[in-house]
Amino acid sequence: MSTKDLVPSPVGPVDVEQAEAALVERYPRLVRIAYLVLPPSLGRNRRVLTAHALVQRSLPRRRVPGPTVPEPRLAEDAVDPGYAFVRGEVLRQALVAGLPLRRLALPRRAQFPPLLPHVWGLRLFPRVGGADELALDQRLSRLSGPGRAAYVLRGLERQGDAEVLRVLAAAGVEDPASALSEADAVDAADSADSPDGAAGTVGTQGGPAAPVGGSGGPGAVGADGRAGAGPARRDGRADRVGEQGRQGRPGQRDGAGSAGEATGRGSADDGGGTAGPGGSGARRGPGRGADGSGGPPGPLPGSGAPGSFDPGRRRSGVALLESDEFDPCALQARPTDLIRRRQHARAALVALAALLLCGALLGLPGDGWGRNGAAAPSYARNPAAEAALDPGALKRVAPAVWTGSTRQDFSVWPARGGLVGDGALLRRALAVWARPGASVHSSATPGTPVGPPMGPPQLLFAGVVDGARVVLLHDGLRAVRYAEPVEGAAGAALDFARTDGADTVGSAALVLSRAAGNVRYLTAPWVAETAVRDLLAPGKAPRPLARDAGGVTDPMPSPALARSCTRWNALQVRDGSGQRLLADLGELAPARLLWGPPAAPVDVTGQEAREAWARTACQLTAVRAHGVRSVNAWRFARQALPEGAGRGTWLCTRAETWRGTGSRTLAQFLVPSPGVPAALAARSEGSPACGVRDPRVLAGVLWQAPGGGWYVLAAGSPDFASLETSGGVKGRSDGPVLAVRAAAGARADLNGVLRDGRRVGALR
């Protein structure tokens, strides 16, 4: 077989109307072809429906072009172009439908059960044949899809080997020759099963009772399509080219009725007539045609002579292809499993009810969660909660209200920013506040509730800052910051901070943005000036910090996330009553820095206070992200150091929280050298020491003198009458300070006696 033989026959261009006419006229034949090529493993009901579906969707969507320069037509090309195209599409889809579904491969349309036609409540299958049909069906089931296609093209379509190879190649078969070899094996099995050894292929019969492999006698069809053309092929396969030429002749609607098909009766699916002697098939014989007319049935294919029938002889396989066993147009109907169908109906009803219930629950919010950005779905309606989520109900304070108000706190902050009128942004901010989704980065200071607002909150700010849309809200208890990227709401952030009980200084500023190690503040309307002061450089003048008309400051370096303590920038604000220092501790509200006794602290404005804070500012890292409202540093004692080393200073630093509990107290010792940071002597959390309720404090350290000697140094507030050490170091002193000689690494227990006689232990 040459390479040219595998090129599809030049059938020319095909119109949609031409293909539709061929499909309608030859529909039973095309459905039978699809049914035979489909794998029997699909089941008879699905094979029937799939065969009809494949044929019905085989029409081209537009005109199919033919070759630019037509090649000379061969005898086997005498077939209607529309029918050839539709038959090729049916074969291609049937072969695809037989391929197994693979996990990594993209499934094809033909591999799925057909959507149309579809039958509910019935199972359809062809009429049951006899033992011969069953044996042929079993043999076909052992073939591959291309092998069944080759057998059907040769037996049902009377195609020659060359045309079978071309049609299979056009249908996408990778190895048409192997498929033809599989069909030869079935032919050989038919020959072996025949009692007289007659060949079972139709193409070898020149007419009724034609001898197999004859010498071209009357009725024998040769390779050139003429009777008596010569001997058969050496490989035992007769060339069936000549039979193809008779398809499409007048009086034959599907190509049936060739010389090898002298059956004496019309087939049930194609309406073919009875072939007379010589096999022209152009007229109906006395047999019964597809319309039911006619007399007694003619001879069966493969019989000995016209009109004779031997029940003891087996019919050939190719003749069985036109039996009712393989006719998907003449069907029987049976009901499906009624009990299982009833169970499935009940299960489907329950699933539908559950689906409707879930849809109703998910759709309870009027707008759903699609318009609320990163907010999670809500599952309940509440009038107060819905009012809190309405951007139109937000409280907006006029710009001049604070000037005539009796109080100055967050409640009189005006609504500022360029996006205060963006209802969609405000809706998303409120929805995320009420129901933060899994993609929202949320943070809250300790002791801050993170639930939704009890009512409509107050809008403080809405605008674009550092490439993000930022919304600041306040509900009387908390300040809430919502931020989302300008490009979308995928990386939304939500921060909570308690601000209840805020006074004029406590509500002087809120953190608006942190980006690239810098921080921006939104200042209160009564703040007149802002500046940046480095706590570690007490002698350096503060640097002015500009603000816009809305009170948003320029970015300033923040120590909140710094890894080293080389500088500690604090925000210095000036209002109508003086200057304040605010420190960023990684929270939404900055902490106020104070100096002095717990009963009467003042803002850090004096030289002594700034010098003390310069040596203790780095200890503020111990109170980061702790919900700190204010930090007060207090010098509670001075002590003359042994060996004439100068005078040491004892500081107590106390951080108060917004929630009132969880305060942290640090006791620090300062050596005479001003450039040396404070040494941490003791720390405590939750202790009232060094506070308004209990201003007393006692602490001690192990100190090495410049001469090399080691001492236990201790000091208490002025209320202590005496101090005493025990354990590894024993010593006692009258008054609030103590210095006892000790060894390196020594440990001692420290306690003291107050002036009223009570014994108090050291801070821990």
Side-chain angles (χ1 to χ4, degrees):
M1 191 67 61
S2 65
T3 305
K4 181 176 181 299
D5 292 333
L6 297 181
V7 179
S9 299
V11 296
V14 178
D15 287 326
V16 178
E17 293 81 3
Q18 184 181 6
E20 181 183 13
L23 188 149
V24 173
E25 183 179 2
R26 310 282 181 86
Y27 184 81
R29 169 72 61 159
L30 293 169
V31 176
R32 185 186 291 263
I33 293 174
Y35 181 82
L36 288 168
V37 176
L38 287 171
S41 59
L42 294 178
R44 303 178 72 190
N45 180 76
R46 182 173 171 183
R47 282 175 69 190
V48 167
L49 298 179
T50 304
H52 283 273
L54 297 183
V55 175
Q56 292 176 15
R57 60 173 180 241
S58 296
L59 286 177
R61 297 184 180 274
R62 59 185 66 87
R63 179 182 176 87
V64 179
T68 305
V69 179
E71 298 181 3
R73 279 181 171 263
L74 304 177
E76 59 267 28
D77 295 330
V79 64
D80 177 50
Y83 175 73
F85 175 82
V86 176
R87 183 184 62 187
E89 286 296 304
V90 170
L91 285 175
R92 181 184 62 80
Q93 296 184 78
L95 292 174
V96 171
L99 298 176
L101 288 172
R102 300 187 183 276
R103 179 176 301 177
L104 300 180
L106 187 65
R108 308 279 292 276
R109 180 185 179 187
Q111 293 177 279
F112 291 106
L115 296 178
L116 292 175
H118 202 84
V119 179
W120 290 84
L122 289 176
R123 297 186 59 83
L124 303 178
F125 49 88
R127 298 173 183 174
V128 180
D132 293 344
E133 287 85 348
L134 178 60
L136 177 60
D137 189 46
Q138 292 176 348
R139 285 196 296 269
L140 292 178
S141 65
R142 291 191 290 268
L143 299 182
S144 64
R148 288 191 297 271
Y151 188 81
V152 171
L153 288 174
R154 174 187 289 174
L156 192 63
E157 293 292 285
R158 277 61 169 191
Q159 296 287 341
D161 291 350
E163 182 63 12
V164 169
L165 293 176
R166 280 193 291 266
V167 173
L168 292 179
V173 178
E174 296 181 357
D175 191 358
S178 298
L180 199 60
S181 300
E182 292 187 53
D184 291 340
V186 179
D187 290 342
D190 290 341
S191 300
D193 291 342
S194 178
D196 57 356
T201 57
V202 176
T204 60
Q205 298 172 356
V212 178
S215 60
V221 182
D224 58 354
R226 296 173 301 170
R233 294 166 55 108
R234 295 181 180 180
D235 56 0
R237 297 204 308 261
D239 196 345
R240 297 157 185 80
V241 175
E243 300 300 338
Q244 180 64 28
R246 293 184 176 88
Q247 293 191 11
R249 295 175 56 186
Q252 288 181 284
R253 292 187 295 174
D254 61 349
S258 60
E261 195 191 11
T263 61
R265 59 184 178 91
S267 65
D269 59 338
D270 56 5
T274 310
S280 66
R283 60 182 177 84
R284 293 187 180 275
R288 185 173 55 192
D291 57 356
S293 61
L300 293 173
S303 60
S308 64
F309 172 66
D310 185 0
R313 297 185 61 188
R314 296 175 59 88
R315 288 183 293 168
S316 64
V318 293
L320 293 174
L321 294 178
E322 300 206 17
S323 66
D324 291 342
E325 172 80 13
F326 307 108
D327 183 7
C329 291
L331 302 172
Q332 293 180 336
R334 293 293 185 272
T336 57
D337 191 332
L338 299 180
I339 296 179
R340 179 175 297 178
R341 188 170 69 187
R342 184 179 301 171
Q343 295 173 348
H344 288 178
R346 286 197 295 265
L349 184 61
V350 172
L352 179 61
L355 182 62
L356 293 177
L357 179 60
C358 292
L361 291 176
L362 294 176
L364 278 178
D367 299 318
W369 58 89
R371 294 179 56 188
N372 294 331
S378 61
Y379 301 98
R381 287 184 179 271
N382 181 275
E386 288 184 350
L389 299 180
D390 184 8
L394 284 173
K395 297 177 183 178
R396 290 176 169 86
V397 178
V401 169
W402 70 271
T403 58
S405 175
T406 58
R407 52 186 294 183
Q408 287 186 346
D409 54 17
F410 292 113
S411 64
V412 294
W413 272 33
R416 290 169 286 179
L419 299 179
V420 292
D422 191 341
L425 172 62
L426 299 178
R427 180 183 296 276
R428 290 195 299 272
L430 292 171
V432 174
W433 180 0
R435 307 182 310 275
S439 63
V440 177
H441 301 282
S442 182
S443 67
T445 58
T448 305
V450 295
M454 298 300 296
Q458 178 185 351
L459 176 62
L460 304 181
F461 178 86
V464 177
V465 182
D466 294 333
R469 289 184 286 262
V470 179
V471 179
L472 278 180
L473 301 166
H474 189 262
D475 66 348
L477 174 67
R478 301 160 294 177
V480 180
R481 175 183 175 270
Y482 170 79
E484 66 180 25
V486 174
E487 293 78 9
L494 191 66
D495 301 314
F496 294 87
R498 283 190 65 167
T499 57
D500 50 322
D503 54 8
T504 302
V505 182
S507 58
L510 285 176
V511 172
L512 196 60
S513 170
R514 284 194 180 90
N518 296 327
V519 61
R520 289 180 187 264
Y521 292 96
L522 177 66
T523 58
W526 53 83
V527 172
E529 294 179 359
T530 55
V532 180
R533 178 178 287 278
D534 186 1
L535 294 179
L536 302 184
K540 185 178 180 180
R543 175 176 59 87
L545 184 64
R547 297 181 298 165
D548 62 12
V552 179
T553 67
D554 287 348
M556 56 172 283
S558 172
L561 302 179
R563 297 183 179 180
S564 60
C565 188
T566 57
R567 62 180 176 179
W568 195 284
N569 292 325
L571 176 66
Q572 180 174 293
V573 299
R574 185 177 63 85
D575 54 20
S577 59
Q579 291 183 346
R580 327 288 183 187
L581 273 184
L582 305 176
D584 181 18
L585 298 181
E587 301 170 357
L588 194 57
R592 182 184 182 184
L593 301 183
L594 298 171
W595 170 260
V602 296
D603 288 288
V604 182
T605 56
Q607 184 65 25
E608 181 186 9
R610 288 198 296 266
E611 290 178 354
W613 268 107
R615 303 179 66 180
T616 189
C618 291
Q619 298 293 341
L620 288 175
T621 57
V623 294
R624 282 177 179 170
H626 196 63
V628 175
R629 178 176 184 172
S630 63
V631 183
N632 180 42
W634 170 40
R635 187 192 70 240
F636 65 88
R638 285 181 180 271
Q639 182 178 15
L641 301 179
E643 301 182 10
R647 294 180 64 85
T649 304
W650 292 85
L651 294 181
C652 181
T653 304
R654 182 178 176 87
E656 299 285 359
T657 64
W658 286 96
R659 62 188 182 275
T661 59
S663 59
R664 291 188 177 182
T665 304
L666 306 177
Q668 303 168 81
F669 176 68
L670 280 65
V671 297
S673 301
V676 179
L680 182 62
R683 73 169 62 191
S684 177
E685 182 169 355
S687 172
C690 201
V692 177
R693 293 178 52 194
D694 186 7
R696 292 171 291 272
V697 61
L698 174 62
V701 294
L702 184 63
W703 173 76
Q704 185 180 21
W710 289 91
Y711 295 87
V712 171
L713 302 181
S717 57
D719 295 339
F720 282 88
S722 64
L723 303 180
E724 183 180 0
T725 61
S726 59
V729 178
K730 297 184 181 296
R732 185 181 183 281
S733 69
D734 293 332
V737 295
L738 176 143
V740 180
R741 185 87 181 194
R747 289 181 172 273
D749 295 329
L750 177 63
N751 58 75
V753 178
L754 297 176
R755 297 187 185 279
D756 59 5
R758 288 184 299 166
R759 184 174 293 273
V760 178
L763 181 70
R764 63 182 61 191

